[in-house]
Amino acid sequence: GCVLVVSVIEQLAQWHNSTVKAAVEKLCNYIPGKYQIISHMLRYIDREMNADVVCHSLKLCKQDPGQPLCHLYPPPKVSWFSTFFKATDGGRSSPLMLKSFTGFSSICAFPLLANLCEKIKYVIKNKLPFEDFDGDKFSTFPTLRGYHWRGRDCNDKNTTVYPGRRPDNWDVKSDSNCNGIWGVDPKDGIPYEEKFCKGADSQGVVLLGDSAGAHFHIPPEWMTVMQMSAKSFANLPMAFTDELDWPQFSEITGFLNSTIGGWTDSLYLRLRRRNRCNHRDLQNISQNGGYSGNLLYLIKSLARNQLLDKPAIVIYATIGNDVCNGNRDTLAHMTTPKEMLSNVVQALQYLDSRLPNGSHVILTGLVDGRFLWDNLHDRYHPLGQLNRDITYSQLYSFLDCLQVSPCSGWLTPNETLRNLTSERALQLSNVLKEIATSKKFANFDIFYMDFPLKQTAEEWQKMGGEPWQLIEPVDGFHPSQIAAALGTSITWQKMLHEWPQVLGKENPFNNQIEAIFKDQGGH
């Protein structure tokens, strides 16, 4: 983080031909709120040292005994020790700086903030909406696991009103399932919900996934100085309160027009178009770092009542983290086929105790991550585009040195290790495939599909695109907005032709439902 911020400041000064101080002021003016802690870095950057040296001087980066010295930029020509010694005024750190960086840890000690901190910890741990007054796991607030992640609650004071439930008395008096359809047709006295939605195979969509499913994205304009402006950081507060995830644009549960490149297409939107009664029935239960093991805990935040709610299509998609980790001995820390079998069967047994009868579960295979190195390693990262000095290969090596690589097995120049990682991923995908063909459950049928990266790349190249555009530019690891939208189309076609029973029939009353919404001024 420190290396990133210092790099941006240095490049801002270079791009605008200004002093470092002016660049810091410009950056602080861009960012919402006042992150004045950045200004304390000035005294170090002014010495014209690269970002690695500055951050080691601030003691935000360190080298543990026996560990390699991690750096993104080429080392200084003089020794690191003498450079650090001079940068820190003979080894003395600024008391103001140290106080600034360590003071945040004690903020929860204040009595007035203690309860709030505990609530925040609980929400983060359990992946539940921060603002949920009736405790039904749905919210009227967008971020902090709110309606960006689950369908928007239409009455946060009534625990029996939430997206996805079967209508209460055909919603004659109020909208109990938040799909916007309620009341009685004055022409014939039949409730609208009964007239338009009865027997329409209404169902929701639920994603159990990882950071790819949550749609992790760091805007490249945050660190590309040629594009940087105050507008670049307008979405910063929202992004942080959504954990740098953008589920509202994602492949499975996206529902808003994308503002991060590409376009939004999703399984939810297609199900909603197929049957307007499915409005708002979505849940994205994903987390950064999710894998088959910790999903057993995450799955408990699922909101589905077996007796009161509609069936659901559940997508189980942990596409990488069972083989991806930042450990030096990465192979030893990968999920084994035996562990995968145990984890997934336990998750399915839990779903069988929660999902209404008539639901469906689709297991998605792991991705072949060799695609990442093959298409990105020699390209310039956004941080390296100004001076053409940082490639993805260098970034991957830096993160691997710090042992925070999102995937040491794939983001490496070691071709043998990349192949071994893909071999394990294939083994785990075969476990999922075997589960889909051999296991039976009372309340849902189960299917398997490969992750469609190869088909997505082929489709994008037919449209004139390049394979590297399917990967997030900043982290060089996650699928991009374009990849998500194309993946939706490929998945939908497979379901339409091979598993039409999963999608249900098309609702013939969609146009009439839309007409009522228009008359009522929208939803």
Side-chain angles (χ1 to χ4, degrees):
C2 176
V3 169
L4 166 64
V5 172
V6 174
S7 298
V8 168
I9 292 171
E10 289 175 335
Q11 290 185 28
L12 267 176
Q14 178 185 345
W15 180 248
H16 293 283
N17 195 25
S18 70
T19 64
V20 169
K21 182 177 180 181
V24 170
E25 290 173 351
K26 186 178 289 290
L27 181 61
C28 286
N29 287 332
Y30 288 162
I31 298 174
K34 294 298 179 184
Y35 296 85
Q36 296 303 335
I37 198 167
I38 295 173
S39 65
H40 298 313
M41 297 177 177
L42 269 175
R43 60 196 293 266
Y44 298 98
I45 305 175
D46 269 334
R47 299 174 185 272
E48 298 182 356
M49 298 167 185
N50 71 35
D52 294 308
V53 174
V54 170
C55 294
H56 276 273
S57 304
L58 295 172
K59 301 190 183 300
L60 293 177
C61 297
K62 63 178 181 176
Q63 180 185 13
D64 291 332
Q67 297 296 321
L69 181 65
C70 302
H71 56 92
L72 186 59
Y73 295 89
K77 293 179 181 179
V78 297
S79 75
W80 280 83
F81 175 78
S82 63
T83 309
F84 293 156
F85 192 80
K86 291 175 183 175
T88 55
D89 294 333
R92 293 186 298 275
S93 298
S94 161
L96 177 61
M97 171 62 75
L98 293 178
K99 183 178 179 182
S100 298
F101 280 106
T102 59
F104 297 109
S105 62
S106 60
I107 192 168
C108 288
F110 289 100
L112 293 176
L113 296 176
N115 289 339
L116 179 63
C117 286
E118 286 305 311
K119 183 177 179 182
I120 291 173
K121 289 177 186 176
Y122 177 82
V123 166
I124 290 173
K125 180 182 178 183
N126 294 281
K127 304 302 178 187
L128 294 170
F130 179 79
E131 187 179 90
D132 177 17
F133 295 111
D134 56 13
D136 59 11
K137 299 182 180 178
F138 294 91
S139 177
T140 58
F141 190 76
T143 59
L144 291 170
R145 292 280 162 167
Y147 68 76
H148 281 170
W149 300 82
R150 305 173 190 240
R152 186 172 185 170
D153 201 341
C154 53
N155 187 342
D156 208 17
K157 296 177 181 178
N158 188 335
T159 189
T160 66
V161 175
Y162 53 85
R165 69 158 293 170
R166 290 192 177 96
D168 179 22
N169 191 29
W170 293 115
D171 285 356
V172 169
K173 295 183 178 180
S174 63
D175 188 5
S176 67
N177 55 21
C178 301
N179 68 358
I181 304 169
W182 64 280
V184 176
D185 190 336
K187 297 175 183 176
D188 52 24
I190 300 175
Y192 288 122
E193 181 90 39
E194 181 179 7
K195 177 181 286 191
F196 297 142
C197 301
K198 184 179 181 179
D201 292 341
S202 301
Q203 58 187 341
V205 60
V206 179
L207 173 65
L208 297 170
D210 51 23
S211 52
H215 210 41
F216 185 88
H217 166 80
I218 299 175
E221 58 269 22
W222 287 3
M223 59 188 68
T224 309
V225 297
M226 299 88 82
Q227 306 170 0
M228 196 174 289
S229 66
K231 186 179 178 182
S232 306
F233 293 95
N235 53 19
L236 184 96
M238 183 189 71
F240 277 134
T241 49
D242 266 335
E243 303 159 53
L244 292 176
D245 296 323
W246 308 73
Q248 67 272 33
F249 307 138
S250 69
E251 180 175 349
I252 303 300
T253 64
F255 63 93
L256 294 178
N257 290 332
S258 174
T259 58
I260 57 173
W263 63 99
T264 301
D265 193 2
S266 71
L267 182 56
Y268 163 72
L269 284 176
R270 291 188 176 227
L271 283 170
R272 183 183 177 278
R273 282 198 294 269
R274 192 173 180 83
N275 182 359
R276 187 61 184 71
C277 301
N278 291 330
H279 180 54
R280 288 188 181 169
D281 196 355
L282 64 99
Q283 296 182 54
N284 191 317
I285 305 177
S286 302
Q287 71 175 7
N288 299 335
Y291 73 106
S292 65
N294 59 23
L295 222 62
L296 292 173
Y297 182 82
L298 182 67
I299 199 173
K300 294 178 181 177
S301 67
L302 172 72
R304 215 65 178 182
N305 186 299
Q306 207 158 41
L307 299 177
L308 298 177
D309 297 349
K310 299 174 185 176
I313 300 173
V314 178
I315 311 296
Y316 184 103
T318 56
I319 66 171
N321 289 322
D322 281 281
V323 296
C324 285
N325 58 73
N327 295 289
R328 297 254 161 78
D329 53 342
T330 180
L331 290 169
H333 289 81
M334 294 180 186
T335 302
T336 65
K338 183 178 179 181
E339 291 168 338
M340 190 74 169
L341 176 63
S342 174
N343 291 339
V344 176
V345 169
Q346 286 183 68
L348 294 173
Q349 289 170 342
Y350 182 85
L351 288 175
D352 203 29
S353 71
R354 293 295 187 276
L355 292 178
N357 190 263
S359 295
H360 313 277
V361 173
I362 298 172
L363 303 177
T364 304
L366 278 71
V367 70
D368 185 349
R370 288 176 292 192
F371 183 93
L372 302 168
W373 180 269
D374 292 347
N375 290 288
L376 284 180
H377 75 277
D378 56 353
R379 295 190 60 81
Y380 288 110
H381 184 268
L383 271 181
Q385 287 174 8
L386 179 62
N387 296 311
R388 303 178 72 81
D389 58 350
I390 299 175
T391 62
Y392 283 94
S393 175
Q394 288 170 260
L395 176 72
Y396 294 157
S397 295
F398 179 53
L399 297 176
D400 191 51
C401 178
L402 293 170
Q403 298 184 53
V404 295
S405 171
C407 197
S408 294
W410 275 325
L411 308 183
T412 173
N414 185 332
E415 184 179 6
T416 301
L417 183 55
R418 297 200 302 271
N419 290 337
L420 287 171
T421 304
S422 286
E423 184 180 314
R424 175 64 62 85
L426 180 59
Q427 291 171 358
L428 300 184
S429 294
N430 286 334
V431 169
L432 296 172
K433 193 180 298 186
E434 175 63 24
I435 290 172
T437 56
S438 64
K439 301 292 182 182
K440 302 295 180 186
F441 296 90
N443 291 305
F444 57 82
D445 48 12
I446 186 169
F447 305 88
Y448 169 84
M449 68 173 290
D450 290 320
F451 187 83
L453 179 60
K454 182 179 178 182
Q455 301 97 303
T456 301
E458 290 171 354
E459 199 67 33
W460 182 233
Q461 286 176 296
K462 286 179 188 174
M463 297 167 67
E466 297 286 342
W468 57 267
Q469 294 169 315
L470 300 175
I471 306 300
E472 276 292 316
V474 173
D475 60 63
F477 180 66
H478 293 92
S480 68
Q481 184 67 38
I482 295 170
L486 289 174
T488 296
S489 178
I490 292 166
T491 300
W492 182 263
Q493 291 304 315
K494 180 177 180 65
M495 295 171 74
L496 200 60
H497 292 108
E498 296 184 28
W499 314 322
Q501 71 273 32
V502 173
L503 301 177
K505 55 181 177 284
E506 195 159 357
N507 191 336
F509 300 110
N510 282 339
N511 290 337
Q512 289 160 269
I513 295 171
E514 291 294 350
I516 287 178
F517 272 107
K518 190 174 182 181
D519 290 342
Q520 293 176 344
H523 50 271

